[in-house]
Amino acid sequence: MNTSQQPTRSGSASSYSASRDSSNADGSLLNQAGKWLNKGSVGDLLGRMSTTQKVVGGALLAVGVAALLRGNKAGKATKAGSNAQTDTLNELLYFVNDRIEGYQRAVQESQDPQLSGYYKQLVSQSQQFANELNGYLRQQGGGRQEGTTVKGKLYRAWMDAKAALTGADEKAILGSNIYGEEWALKAYKEALSDNTLSGTLRQAVERQYQHSQNTYDRLKSMEGKQE
């Protein structure tokens, strides 16, 4: 899903060098962020880190997410061939699974019964979305996709670290959900715009996209009431 942008052969030597150095820098930062993420739970890790290390770790995660977002744009342009529809489904499912984990996290952290209840509904809705898309994937000979995006993992780890340092409140949880829903909407838009989906599958994705848009609108309305 994540690919590095390659320089064109027609570019100058200096352009190639700059692109290669940028790619190497992004890869190095992502590797460092990945090592930081895989060392253990966020709570345990924070207990072993100095304030400077916490700040550096957070910066690495932020830069890693930005690099992955750039990589995703480059990767979309290379997708082609007879398996394009399966590729689109797999990619969309990564973000739907991110949506599941994001709202599960919100359920665990929220202390507001009404908000927590709504987040539980969104977990269930996201699981239904994933089941539906996996059903279409199975019809095309693919295996069930239960993975999440690396950028989603990094973002949730960063939010966990932030909550551990500053505390989690309902406004912060809501803001995180809005950000996650924006990612989901972007994924649905890209899946519908690359012209690989057709028939009942496209209709299903369009329906899920509309539900996601409705969710985003409701979350934004809830945010406005908290201000």
PDB file of all heavy atoms in Angstrom, residues 36-67:
ATOM      1  N   TRP A  36      10.200   2.702  17.740  1.00  0.00           N
ATOM      2  CA  TRP A  36       9.612   3.335  18.936  1.00  0.00           C
ATOM      3  C   TRP A  36       8.255   2.716  19.244  1.00  0.00           C
ATOM      4  O   TRP A  36       7.915   2.443  20.387  1.00  0.00           O
ATOM      5  CB  TRP A  36       9.479   4.827  18.654  1.00  0.00           C
ATOM      6  CG  TRP A  36       9.116   5.658  19.854  1.00  0.00           C
ATOM      7  CD1 TRP A  36       9.952   6.240  20.742  1.00  0.00           C
ATOM      8  CD2 TRP A  36       7.797   6.039  20.270  1.00  0.00           C
ATOM      9  NE1 TRP A  36       9.238   6.934  21.678  1.00  0.00           N
ATOM     10  CE2 TRP A  36       7.923   6.829  21.423  1.00  0.00           C
ATOM     11  CE3 TRP A  36       6.507   5.769  19.789  1.00  0.00           C
ATOM     12  CZ2 TRP A  36       6.832   7.365  22.086  1.00  0.00           C
ATOM     13  CZ3 TRP A  36       5.419   6.308  20.461  1.00  0.00           C
ATOM     14  CH2 TRP A  36       5.593   7.094  21.596  1.00  0.00           C
ATOM     15  N   LEU A  37       7.474   2.471  18.178  1.00  0.00           N
ATOM     16  CA  LEU A  37       6.123   1.925  18.338  1.00  0.00           C
ATOM     17  C   LEU A  37       6.140   0.488  18.815  1.00  0.00           C
ATOM     18  O   LEU A  37       5.291   0.067  19.594  1.00  0.00           O
ATOM     19  CB  LEU A  37       5.378   2.021  17.001  1.00  0.00           C
ATOM     20  CG  LEU A  37       3.929   1.535  16.952  1.00  0.00           C
ATOM     21  CD1 LEU A  37       3.070   2.389  17.869  1.00  0.00           C
ATOM     22  CD2 LEU A  37       3.402   1.607  15.531  1.00  0.00           C
ATOM     23  N   ASN A  38       7.127  -0.304  18.367  1.00  0.00           N
ATOM     24  CA  ASN A  38       7.145  -1.739  18.643  1.00  0.00           C
ATOM     25  C   ASN A  38       7.865  -2.128  19.928  1.00  0.00           C
ATOM     26  O   ASN A  38       7.942  -3.303  20.269  1.00  0.00           O
ATOM     27  CB  ASN A  38       7.808  -2.477  17.470  1.00  0.00           C
ATOM     28  CG  ASN A  38       6.941  -2.451  16.236  1.00  0.00           C
ATOM     29  OD1 ASN A  38       5.722  -2.485  16.330  1.00  0.00           O
ATOM     30  ND2 ASN A  38       7.567  -2.365  15.070  1.00  0.00           N
ATOM     31  N   LYS A  39       8.404  -1.172  20.681  1.00  0.00           N
ATOM     32  CA  LYS A  39       9.147  -1.514  21.881  1.00  0.00           C
ATOM     33  C   LYS A  39       8.259  -1.954  23.040  1.00  0.00           C
ATOM     34  O   LYS A  39       8.718  -2.534  23.995  1.00  0.00           O
ATOM     35  CB  LYS A  39       9.988  -0.312  22.332  1.00  0.00           C
ATOM     36  CG  LYS A  39      11.239  -0.113  21.489  1.00  0.00           C
ATOM     37  CD  LYS A  39      12.075   1.040  22.023  1.00  0.00           C
ATOM     38  CE  LYS A  39      13.344   1.222  21.206  1.00  0.00           C
ATOM     39  NZ  LYS A  39      14.156   2.364  21.696  1.00  0.00           N
ATOM     40  N   GLY A  40       7.000  -1.650  22.975  1.00  0.00           N
ATOM     41  CA  GLY A  40       6.106  -2.062  24.051  1.00  0.00           C
ATOM     42  C   GLY A  40       4.917  -1.131  24.115  1.00  0.00           C
ATOM     43  O   GLY A  40       4.700  -0.306  23.235  1.00  0.00           O
ATOM     44  N   SER A  41       4.106  -1.257  25.159  1.00  0.00           N
ATOM     45  CA  SER A  41       2.940  -0.402  25.294  1.00  0.00           C
ATOM     46  C   SER A  41       3.385   1.031  25.494  1.00  0.00           C
ATOM     47  O   SER A  41       4.471   1.314  25.988  1.00  0.00           O
ATOM     48  CB  SER A  41       2.090  -0.842  26.493  1.00  0.00           C
ATOM     49  OG  SER A  41       2.787  -0.593  27.691  1.00  0.00           O
ATOM     50  N   VAL A  42       2.519   1.963  25.110  1.00  0.00           N
ATOM     51  CA  VAL A  42       2.866   3.369  25.218  1.00  0.00           C
ATOM     52  C   VAL A  42       3.114   3.769  26.663  1.00  0.00           C
ATOM     53  O   VAL A  42       4.046   4.492  26.983  1.00  0.00           O
ATOM     54  CB  VAL A  42       1.733   4.236  24.602  1.00  0.00           C
ATOM     55  CG1 VAL A  42       1.989   5.711  24.870  1.00  0.00           C
ATOM     56  CG2 VAL A  42       1.632   3.976  23.110  1.00  0.00           C
ATOM     57  N   GLY A  43       2.272   3.265  27.564  1.00  0.00           N
ATOM     58  CA  GLY A  43       2.435   3.595  28.977  1.00  0.00           C
ATOM     59  C   GLY A  43       3.768   3.139  29.525  1.00  0.00           C
ATOM     60  O   GLY A  43       4.470   3.886  30.216  1.00  0.00           O
ATOM     61  N   ASP A  44       4.151   1.892  29.219  1.00  0.00           N
ATOM     62  CA  ASP A  44       5.437   1.370  29.683  1.00  0.00           C
ATOM     63  C   ASP A  44       6.589   2.154  29.083  1.00  0.00           C
ATOM     64  O   ASP A  44       7.581   2.454  29.741  1.00  0.00           O
ATOM     65  CB  ASP A  44       5.576  -0.110  29.298  1.00  0.00           C
ATOM     66  CG  ASP A  44       4.604  -0.995  30.073  1.00  0.00           C
ATOM     67  OD1 ASP A  44       4.113  -0.523  31.129  1.00  0.00           O
ATOM     68  OD2 ASP A  44       4.338  -2.110  29.634  1.00  0.00           O
ATOM     69  N   LEU A  45       6.441   2.487  27.794  1.00  0.00           N
ATOM     70  CA  LEU A  45       7.514   3.186  27.124  1.00  0.00           C
ATOM     71  C   LEU A  45       7.714   4.579  27.696  1.00  0.00           C
ATOM     72  O   LEU A  45       8.842   5.016  27.915  1.00  0.00           O
ATOM     73  CB  LEU A  45       7.201   3.280  25.626  1.00  0.00           C
ATOM     74  CG  LEU A  45       8.282   3.882  24.723  1.00  0.00           C
ATOM     75  CD1 LEU A  45       9.575   3.099  24.837  1.00  0.00           C
ATOM     76  CD2 LEU A  45       7.805   3.913  23.291  1.00  0.00           C
ATOM     77  N   LEU A  46       6.618   5.286  27.951  1.00  0.00           N
ATOM     78  CA  LEU A  46       6.726   6.636  28.484  1.00  0.00           C
ATOM     79  C   LEU A  46       7.408   6.649  29.840  1.00  0.00           C
ATOM     80  O   LEU A  46       8.129   7.584  30.178  1.00  0.00           O
ATOM     81  CB  LEU A  46       5.326   7.262  28.601  1.00  0.00           C
ATOM     82  CG  LEU A  46       4.697   7.706  27.280  1.00  0.00           C
ATOM     83  CD1 LEU A  46       3.252   8.103  27.506  1.00  0.00           C
ATOM     84  CD2 LEU A  46       5.469   8.865  26.682  1.00  0.00           C
ATOM     85  N   GLY A  47       7.187   5.585  30.615  1.00  0.00           N
ATOM     86  CA  GLY A  47       7.802   5.514  31.932  1.00  0.00           C
ATOM     87  C   GLY A  47       9.304   5.410  31.873  1.00  0.00           C
ATOM     88  O   GLY A  47       9.993   5.728  32.855  1.00  0.00           O
ATOM     89  N   ARG A  48       9.853   4.958  30.743  1.00  0.00           N
ATOM     90  CA  ARG A  48      11.294   4.780  30.603  1.00  0.00           C
ATOM     91  C   ARG A  48      11.947   5.921  29.828  1.00  0.00           C
ATOM     92  O   ARG A  48      13.133   5.908  29.591  1.00  0.00           O
ATOM     93  CB  ARG A  48      11.594   3.459  29.882  1.00  0.00           C
ATOM     94  CG  ARG A  48      11.045   2.220  30.571  1.00  0.00           C
ATOM     95  CD  ARG A  48      11.694   0.967  29.994  1.00  0.00           C
ATOM     96  NE  ARG A  48      11.474   0.837  28.567  1.00  0.00           N
ATOM     97  CZ  ARG A  48      10.431   0.200  28.040  1.00  0.00           C
ATOM     98  NH1 ARG A  48       9.517  -0.333  28.817  1.00  0.00           N
ATOM     99  NH2 ARG A  48      10.296   0.095  26.726  1.00  0.00           N
ATOM    100  N   MET A  49      11.143   6.899  29.409  1.00  0.00           N
ATOM    101  CA  MET A  49      11.662   7.958  28.553  1.00  0.00           C
ATOM    102  C   MET A  49      11.788   9.275  29.298  1.00  0.00           C
ATOM    103  O   MET A  49      10.986   9.598  30.174  1.00  0.00           O
ATOM    104  CB  MET A  49      10.734   8.152  27.340  1.00  0.00           C
ATOM    105  CG  MET A  49      10.698   6.973  26.394  1.00  0.00           C
ATOM    106  SD  MET A  49       9.422   7.158  25.130  1.00  0.00           S
ATOM    107  CE  MET A  49      10.106   8.503  24.173  1.00  0.00           C
ATOM    108  N   SER A  50      12.823  10.043  28.931  1.00  0.00           N
ATOM    109  CA  SER A  50      12.973  11.396  29.444  1.00  0.00           C
ATOM    110  C   SER A  50      12.018  12.306  28.686  1.00  0.00           C
ATOM    111  O   SER A  50      11.439  11.926  27.662  1.00  0.00           O
ATOM    112  CB  SER A  50      14.408  11.878  29.244  1.00  0.00           C
ATOM    113  OG  SER A  50      14.682  12.025  27.858  1.00  0.00           O
ATOM    114  N   THR A  51      11.852  13.528  29.165  1.00  0.00           N
ATOM    115  CA  THR A  51      10.974  14.475  28.482  1.00  0.00           C
ATOM    116  C   THR A  51      11.447  14.726  27.056  1.00  0.00           C
ATOM    117  O   THR A  51      10.650  14.789  26.118  1.00  0.00           O
ATOM    118  CB  THR A  51      10.944  15.808  29.247  1.00  0.00           C
ATOM    119  OG1 THR A  51      10.455  15.572  30.568  1.00  0.00           O
ATOM    120  CG2 THR A  51      10.040  16.823  28.550  1.00  0.00           C
ATOM    121  N   THR A  52      12.760  14.846  26.884  1.00  0.00           N
ATOM    122  CA  THR A  52      13.309  15.066  25.541  1.00  0.00           C
ATOM    123  C   THR A  52      12.986  13.905  24.619  1.00  0.00           C
ATOM    124  O   THR A  52      12.599  14.093  23.462  1.00  0.00           O
ATOM    125  CB  THR A  52      14.833  15.246  25.607  1.00  0.00           C
ATOM    126  OG1 THR A  52      15.125  16.380  26.427  1.00  0.00           O
ATOM    127  CG2 THR A  52      15.418  15.460  24.219  1.00  0.00           C
ATOM    128  N   GLN A  53      13.125  12.682  25.132  1.00  0.00           N
ATOM    129  CA  GLN A  53      12.825  11.512  24.309  1.00  0.00           C
ATOM    130  C   GLN A  53      11.354  11.465  23.921  1.00  0.00           C
ATOM    131  O   GLN A  53      11.011  11.055  22.817  1.00  0.00           O
ATOM    132  CB  GLN A  53      13.212  10.236  25.062  1.00  0.00           C
ATOM    133  CG  GLN A  53      14.715  10.025  25.164  1.00  0.00           C
ATOM    134  CD  GLN A  53      15.066   8.854  26.047  1.00  0.00           C
ATOM    135  OE1 GLN A  53      14.418   8.611  27.073  1.00  0.00           O
ATOM    136  NE2 GLN A  53      16.106   8.119  25.671  1.00  0.00           N
ATOM    137  N   LYS A  54      10.482  11.889  24.843  1.00  0.00           N
ATOM    138  CA  LYS A  54       9.055  11.911  24.537  1.00  0.00           C
ATOM    139  C   LYS A  54       8.767  12.881  23.400  1.00  0.00           C
ATOM    140  O   LYS A  54       7.998  12.586  22.480  1.00  0.00           O
ATOM    141  CB  LYS A  54       8.264  12.308  25.784  1.00  0.00           C
ATOM    142  CG  LYS A  54       8.285  11.266  26.890  1.00  0.00           C
ATOM    143  CD  LYS A  54       7.680  11.832  28.163  1.00  0.00           C
ATOM    144  CE  LYS A  54       7.795  10.825  29.314  1.00  0.00           C
ATOM    145  NZ  LYS A  54       7.324  11.374  30.594  1.00  0.00           N
ATOM    146  N   VAL A  55       9.387  14.053  23.462  1.00  0.00           N
ATOM    147  CA  VAL A  55       9.176  15.052  22.423  1.00  0.00           C
ATOM    148  C   VAL A  55       9.710  14.560  21.086  1.00  0.00           C
ATOM    149  O   VAL A  55       9.063  14.666  20.044  1.00  0.00           O
ATOM    150  CB  VAL A  55       9.862  16.382  22.809  1.00  0.00           C
ATOM    151  CG1 VAL A  55       9.794  17.375  21.649  1.00  0.00           C
ATOM    152  CG2 VAL A  55       9.207  16.967  24.047  1.00  0.00           C
ATOM    153  N   VAL A  56      10.920  13.974  21.104  1.00  0.00           N
ATOM    154  CA  VAL A  56      11.525  13.456  19.871  1.00  0.00           C
ATOM    155  C   VAL A  56      10.694  12.318  19.304  1.00  0.00           C
ATOM    156  O   VAL A  56      10.453  12.240  18.098  1.00  0.00           O
ATOM    157  CB  VAL A  56      12.971  12.984  20.133  1.00  0.00           C
ATOM    158  CG1 VAL A  56      13.527  12.263  18.902  1.00  0.00           C
ATOM    159  CG2 VAL A  56      13.854  14.172  20.484  1.00  0.00           C
ATOM    160  N   GLY A  57      10.239  11.417  20.183  1.00  0.00           N
ATOM    161  CA  GLY A  57       9.410  10.306  19.723  1.00  0.00           C
ATOM    162  C   GLY A  57       8.134  10.793  19.068  1.00  0.00           C
ATOM    163  O   GLY A  57       7.728  10.303  18.018  1.00  0.00           O
ATOM    164  N   GLY A  58       7.488  11.794  19.675  1.00  0.00           N
ATOM    165  CA  GLY A  58       6.274  12.353  19.084  1.00  0.00           C
ATOM    166  C   GLY A  58       6.546  12.999  17.745  1.00  0.00           C
ATOM    167  O   GLY A  58       5.765  12.867  16.804  1.00  0.00           O
ATOM    168  N   ALA A  59       7.680  13.690  17.631  1.00  0.00           N
ATOM    169  CA  ALA A  59       8.034  14.326  16.363  1.00  0.00           C
ATOM    170  C   ALA A  59       8.271  13.286  15.273  1.00  0.00           C
ATOM    171  O   ALA A  59       7.871  13.467  14.116  1.00  0.00           O
ATOM    172  CB  ALA A  59       9.286  15.187  16.548  1.00  0.00           C
ATOM    173  N   LEU A  60       8.932  12.184  15.635  1.00  0.00           N
ATOM    174  CA  LEU A  60       9.179  11.120  14.663  1.00  0.00           C
ATOM    175  C   LEU A  60       7.872  10.535  14.159  1.00  0.00           C
ATOM    176  O   LEU A  60       7.710  10.256  12.969  1.00  0.00           O
ATOM    177  CB  LEU A  60      10.037  10.024  15.291  1.00  0.00           C
ATOM    178  CG  LEU A  60      11.523  10.365  15.498  1.00  0.00           C
ATOM    179  CD1 LEU A  60      12.201   9.260  16.300  1.00  0.00           C
ATOM    180  CD2 LEU A  60      12.222  10.566  14.167  1.00  0.00           C
ATOM    181  N   LEU A  61       6.926  10.340  15.061  1.00  0.00           N
ATOM    182  CA  LEU A  61       5.629   9.806  14.657  1.00  0.00           C
ATOM    183  C   LEU A  61       4.932  10.764  13.711  1.00  0.00           C
ATOM    184  O   LEU A  61       4.358  10.367  12.697  1.00  0.00           O
ATOM    185  CB  LEU A  61       4.761   9.556  15.897  1.00  0.00           C
ATOM    186  CG  LEU A  61       5.179   8.386  16.781  1.00  0.00           C
ATOM    187  CD1 LEU A  61       4.292   8.328  18.019  1.00  0.00           C
ATOM    188  CD2 LEU A  61       5.111   7.074  16.033  1.00  0.00           C
ATOM    189  N   ALA A  62       4.967  12.072  14.039  1.00  0.00           N
ATOM    190  CA  ALA A  62       4.307  13.063  13.195  1.00  0.00           C
ATOM    191  C   ALA A  62       4.927  13.099  11.806  1.00  0.00           C
ATOM    192  O   ALA A  62       4.231  13.127  10.788  1.00  0.00           O
ATOM    193  CB  ALA A  62       4.392  14.437  13.852  1.00  0.00           C
ATOM    194  N   VAL A  63       6.263  13.091  11.731  1.00  0.00           N
ATOM    195  CA  VAL A  63       6.948  13.106  10.437  1.00  0.00           C
ATOM    196  C   VAL A  63       6.675  11.807   9.682  1.00  0.00           C
ATOM    197  O   VAL A  63       6.507  11.801   8.460  1.00  0.00           O
ATOM    198  CB  VAL A  63       8.464  13.315  10.634  1.00  0.00           C
ATOM    199  CG1 VAL A  63       9.201  13.164   9.304  1.00  0.00           C
ATOM    200  CG2 VAL A  63       8.722  14.692  11.212  1.00  0.00           C
ATOM    201  N   GLY A  64       6.627  10.696  10.418  1.00  0.00           N
ATOM    202  CA  GLY A  64       6.344   9.410   9.778  1.00  0.00           C
ATOM    203  C   GLY A  64       4.985   9.395   9.117  1.00  0.00           C
ATOM    204  O   GLY A  64       4.822   8.921   7.999  1.00  0.00           O
ATOM    205  N   VAL A  65       3.977   9.939   9.812  1.00  0.00           N
ATOM    206  CA  VAL A  65       2.636  10.013   9.226  1.00  0.00           C
ATOM    207  C   VAL A  65       2.655  10.856   7.961  1.00  0.00           C
ATOM    208  O   VAL A  65       2.068  10.499   6.936  1.00  0.00           O
ATOM    209  CB  VAL A  65       1.638  10.595  10.254  1.00  0.00           C
ATOM    210  CG1 VAL A  65       0.317  10.923   9.581  1.00  0.00           C
ATOM    211  CG2 VAL A  65       1.410   9.597  11.379  1.00  0.00           C
ATOM    212  N   ALA A  66       3.346  12.005   8.005  1.00  0.00           N
ATOM    213  CA  ALA A  66       3.414  12.871   6.827  1.00  0.00           C
ATOM    214  C   ALA A  66       4.074  12.155   5.655  1.00  0.00           C
ATOM    215  O   ALA A  66       3.628  12.251   4.512  1.00  0.00           O
ATOM    216  CB  ALA A  66       4.183  14.143   7.171  1.00  0.00           C
ATOM    217  N   ALA A  67       5.155  11.414   5.936  1.00  0.00           N
ATOM    218  CA  ALA A  67       5.852  10.684   4.871  1.00  0.00           C
ATOM    219  C   ALA A  67       4.964   9.608   4.270  1.00  0.00           C
ATOM    220  O   ALA A  67       4.949   9.393   3.063  1.00  0.00           O
ATOM    221  CB  ALA A  67       7.136  10.064   5.424  1.00  0.00           C
TER     222      ALA A  67
END
